[in-house]
């Protein structure tokens, strides 16, 4: 009691910028502390230990953490079902009214609210009857607590008494956990006037089908059937897939045609509008104008009903026959429950694939190129055949020319000569006939530039003429006309020799044998004999031949070629004199020596 200083030593300090606590150096008021003084944590630990001999001190759990009520009981509400009786003084039919409510007790702040479920067309102000707040219990200022609530008690709030008849499971568990015994639930009392006004549901068993009852029972319930309408008997007819809807509400039928994209038909999905379809008509007079009047119930003996439809059945609706091949799941369940049908195996109505007819390519009519004409047989809009661009660029302006004669029994055609041009860029051929004056035949272009097929080739696999087919003396058939090659130019020989690996040896050898006499003449002409002397000799021989009138030059040429078996262009002296004697040509000794010395058959 005489102590006047109660100062406490400093235990909070900073070290290296960090705050920390330390043990006091002296006690309160400067009292001396013993060095073995324990810290507060150690003292708390000793308080929880008990004396044991075998296993040491038993560690006790730390005290539970403190939680405020608004955190621990957040969103936890006790709910009671209750009702209260309300007097009715303005009605002769009822004297009181029972109103059912729900009482909610919020544990976090001990507040209460009363809510009445809203009933449609009740004429009462329902909903929240008492807002959430702490409700006073008595005049002393006490408030209602959850300990005051239980099932089977009367609760008076603001002059209105509520009877608690039941609670939810959470409320029951909470009260029992707090040691409160929950009373058994009571039956909720209903309002007698409301029960009196409630209509009594009596089973209706009409003797005949009631359309209104059928509408209420089967409204929005439709049977769906998948059918095929075979219209192939009519011109341009086809198989039309359709869907038949049977409306159970009023026994009407609707037929819709299934349209596919780009099927070429008009977009009218409804084939038959929704209507009742007659099945059997009543016998009537033949002169009765039924075609202009509507069908009534007196004219129909039987209408179509669900029993007339089924998988595999053919039904006639307004003159059209439909084959039903399938139905949806709801329709299957309806028939299974009402008619006991269990077999719903769909009918296969798919068309069998027709055998693909092999496309027969017609023979070429001779107009245009076969490849170009073939495109008209392969597609509706023909495309031009593809060309080898690389080959066209490599062989541009490369043309092989041949001289041909026509094989014809007509005598006038024997002297006709033709020039065949083979274009290497696209393997086309053109034939030109040089015009001859006073021949009676108009020369010019004989065949336009085109590809020519060999005899015996087919339109599917055409075989065209190639440079290897053109040899001296070979026969070429061009669209029914036969030609044989008699001559060619030196460009053909040079081209074949430069590309000998691409052509047969027989073709190259034929061209070489044809050009051998010409090469010999050229070699002879360039063997050192002056050109002027050779020209003078030719002029002198021609003068001698002109003295023989008339002289057949053609037979004279043929005779020289006849004796020249090897085609070298040379004849020995004996054969030359023999030919001259046959045609009565005077052989001057001086001129004969000159011709023999020159070694050239210039007269030929």
């Amino acid at each position: 009691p005489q102590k006047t200083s109660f100062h406490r030593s400093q235990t909070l300090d900073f070290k290296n910028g960090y705050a920390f606590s330390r043990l006091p150096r002296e006690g309160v008021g400067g009292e001396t502390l013993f060095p073995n003084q324990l810290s507060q944590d150690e003292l708390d630990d000793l308080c929880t230990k008990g004396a044991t001999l075998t296993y040491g001190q038993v560690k006790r759990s730390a005290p539970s953490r403190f939680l405020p009520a608004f955190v621990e009981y957040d969103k936890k509400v006790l709910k009671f079902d209750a009702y209260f009786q309300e007097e009715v003084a303005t009605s002769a039919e009822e004297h009181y009214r029972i109103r059912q409510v729900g009482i909610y007790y919020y544990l976090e702040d001990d507040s209460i609210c009363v809510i009445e479920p809203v009933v449609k067309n009740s004429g009462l102000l329902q909903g929240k009857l008492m807002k959430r707040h702490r409700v006073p219990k008595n005049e002393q200022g006490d408030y209602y607590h959850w300990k005051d609530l239980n099932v089977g008690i009367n609760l008076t709030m603001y002059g209105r008494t509520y009877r608690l008849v039941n609670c939810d499971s959470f409320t029951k568990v909470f009260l029992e956990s707090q040691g409160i015994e929950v009373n058994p639930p009571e039956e909720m009392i209903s309002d007698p006037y409301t029960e009196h006004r409630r209509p009594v549901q009596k089973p209706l068993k009409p003797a005949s089908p009631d359309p209104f009852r059928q509408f209420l029972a089967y409204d929005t319930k439709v049977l769906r059937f998948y059918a095929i309408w075979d219209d192939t008997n009519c011109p341009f007819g086809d198989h039309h897939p359709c869907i038949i809807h049977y409306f159970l509400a009023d026994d009407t039928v609707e037929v819709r045609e299934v349209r596919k994209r780009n099927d070429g038909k008009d977009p009218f999905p409804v084939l038959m509008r929704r209507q009742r379809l007659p099945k059997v008509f009543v016998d009537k007079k033949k002169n009765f104008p039924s075609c202009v009047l509507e069908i009534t119930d007196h004219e129909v003996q039987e209408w179509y009903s669900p029993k007339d439809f089924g998988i595999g059945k053919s039904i006639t609706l307004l003159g059209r026959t439909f084959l039903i091949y399938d139905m949806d799941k709801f329709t299957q369940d309806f028939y299974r429950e009402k008619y006991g049908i269990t077999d719903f195996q769909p009918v296969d109505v798919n068309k069998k694939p027709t055998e693909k007819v092999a496309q027969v390519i017609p023979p070429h009519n001779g107009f245009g190129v076969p490849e170009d004409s073939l495109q008209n047989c392969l597609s509706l809009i023909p495309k031009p055949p593809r060309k080898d661009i690389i080959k066209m660029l490599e062989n541009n302006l490369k043309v092989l020319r041949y001289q041909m004669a026509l094989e014809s029994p007509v005598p006038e055609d024997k002297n006709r000569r033709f020039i065949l041009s083979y274009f290497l860029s696209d393997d086309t051929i053109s034939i030109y006939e040089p015009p001859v004056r006073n021949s009676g035949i108009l020369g010019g272009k004989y065949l336009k530039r085109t590809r020519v097929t060999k005899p015996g080739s087919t339109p599917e696999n055409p075989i065209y003429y190639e440079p290897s087919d053109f040899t001296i003396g070979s026969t070429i058939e061009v669209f029914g006309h036969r030609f044989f090659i008699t001559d060619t130019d030196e460009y053909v020989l040079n081209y074949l020799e430069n590309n000998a690996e691409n052509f047969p040896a027989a073709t190259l050898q034929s061209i070489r044998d044809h050009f051998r006499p010409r090469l010999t003449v050229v070699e002879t002409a360039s063997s050192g004999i002056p050109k002027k002397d050779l020209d003078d000799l030719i002029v002198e021989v021609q003068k001698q031949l002109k003295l023989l009138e008339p002289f057949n030059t053609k037979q004279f040429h043929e005779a020289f070629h006849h004796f020249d078996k090897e085609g070298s262009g040379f004849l020995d002296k004996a054969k030359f004199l023999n030919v001259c004697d046959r045609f009565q040509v005077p052989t001057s000794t001086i001129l004969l020596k000159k011709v023999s010395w020159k070694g050239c058959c210039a007269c030929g």
Side-chain angles (χ1 to χ4, degrees), residues 14 67 114 135 181 201 205 218 237 318 357 455 461 491 495 531 596:
F14 283 89
L67 291 177
V114 180
V135 180
E181 182 179 357
Q201 297 292 340
K205 297 181 180 179
Y218 295 107
L318 300 182
V357 181
N461 187 19
Y491 179 79
Y495 181 80
K531 186 176 185 302
S596 303

Side-chain angles (χ1 to χ4, degrees), residues 281-293:
F281 287 92
V282 178
D283 296 337
K284 51 189 175 181
K285 298 180 180 180
K286 295 182 179 180
N287 57 0
F288 188 77
S290 61
C291 60
V292 296
L293 297 179

Side-chain angles (χ1 to χ4, degrees), residues 489-528:
D489 57 3
E490 294 184 2
Y491 179 79
V492 177
L493 178 61
N494 296 333
Y495 181 80
L496 295 181
E497 288 180 348
N498 295 334
N499 302 274
E501 65 278 0
N502 299 330
F503 302 98
T507 303
L508 182 59
Q509 187 62 33
S510 173
I511 303 299
R512 286 176 177 174
D513 295 343
H514 177 72
F515 277 95
R516 184 175 299 169
R518 300 184 186 181
L519 295 177
T520 305
V521 172
V522 173
E523 291 176 357
T524 304
S526 59
S527 60

Side-chain angles (χ1 to χ4, degrees), residues 212-477:
F212 183 69
R213 179 180 178 82
Q214 181 181 358
F215 173 79
L216 295 178
Y218 295 107
D219 186 26
T220 69
K221 295 182 180 179
V222 183
L223 305 181
R224 176 177 295 180
F225 304 92
Y226 301 96
I228 286 290
W229 171 34
D230 189 359
D231 191 29
T232 55
N233 296 329
C234 300
F236 311 104
D238 197 1
H239 290 84
H240 303 272
C242 302
I243 297 178
I244 302 176
H245 291 154
Y246 188 94
F247 298 86
L248 296 173
D250 52 359
D251 295 327
T252 55
V253 180
E254 178 192 59
V255 181
R256 288 180 170 267
E257 189 172 358
V258 179
R259 294 297 186 186
K260 296 182 180 179
R261 189 176 182 181
N262 298 330
D263 58 356
K265 300 179 182 178
D266 294 333
F268 294 104
V270 179
L271 185 63
M272 297 183 188
R273 65 177 179 85
R274 180 177 175 180
Q275 58 183 317
R276 294 188 69 188
L277 297 179
K279 181 180 179 183
V280 180
F281 287 92
V282 178
D283 296 337
K284 51 189 175 181
K285 298 180 180 180
K286 295 182 179 180
N287 57 0
F288 188 77
S290 61
C291 60
V292 296
L293 297 179
E294 296 181 357
I295 299 175
T296 61
D297 295 341
H298 302 287
E299 302 175 20
V300 179
Q301 183 177 353
E302 184 181 358
W303 301 88
Y304 274 105
S305 61
K307 63 181 180 181
D308 300 321
F309 297 84
I311 297 178
K313 291 184 179 181
S314 296
I315 58 175
T316 303
L317 305 177
L318 300 182
R320 296 179 176 87
T321 302
F322 297 87
L323 173 62
I324 300 176
Y325 65 89
D326 199 2
M327 61 179 64
D328 61 357
K329 188 177 183 305
F330 171 77
T331 309
Q332 295 178 7
D333 297 339
F334 176 81
Y335 277 87
R336 186 182 294 107
E337 295 175 2
K338 189 167 184 178
Y339 298 103
I341 300 175
T342 58
D343 186 12
F344 301 103
Q345 184 66 26
V347 180
D348 187 11
V349 294
N350 296 326
K351 296 181 181 180
K352 296 182 179 180
T354 57
E355 296 182 358
K356 188 176 182 180
V357 181
Q359 185 179 10
V360 179
I361 305 299
H364 186 233
N365 54 7
F367 295 96
V369 184
E371 288 82 359
D372 196 6
S373 301
L374 183 61
Q375 299 299 323
N376 295 280
C377 304
L378 300 180
S379 61
L380 183 61
I381 302 177
K383 298 180 181 180
R386 293 185 177 182
K387 297 181 180 180
D388 191 352
I389 304 298
I390 298 178
K391 182 178 180 180
M392 295 177 63
L393 296 176
E394 291 179 351
N395 300 309
N396 188 25
L397 302 179
K398 293 183 180 180
V399 184
L400 305 182
R401 286 177 290 272
Y402 302 87
Q403 182 179 357
M404 303 187 303
L406 180 64
E407 288 187 2
S408 175
V410 181
E412 288 78 4
D413 293 338
K414 292 185 178 180
N415 296 327
R416 298 176 65 181
R417 295 295 180 267
F418 300 87
I419 304 300
L420 183 146
S421 300
Y422 187 91
F423 298 87
L424 296 173
S425 59
D426 54 358
D427 299 331
T428 56
I429 294 175
S430 68
I431 300 178
Y432 176 79
E433 182 179 7
V436 179
R437 295 183 62 182
N438 300 327
S439 63
I441 299 175
L442 183 64
K445 184 182 293 186
Y446 185 81
L447 176 66
K448 185 178 69 173
R449 181 176 175 179
T450 182
R451 301 185 72 181
V452 180
T453 58
K454 293 183 180 180
S457 61
T458 60
E460 296 83 2
N461 187 19
I463 303 176
Y464 299 96
Y465 279 107
E466 298 178 353
S468 59
D469 300 323
F470 302 138
T471 59
I472 302 300
S474 61
T475 302
I476 299 174
E477 183 175 346

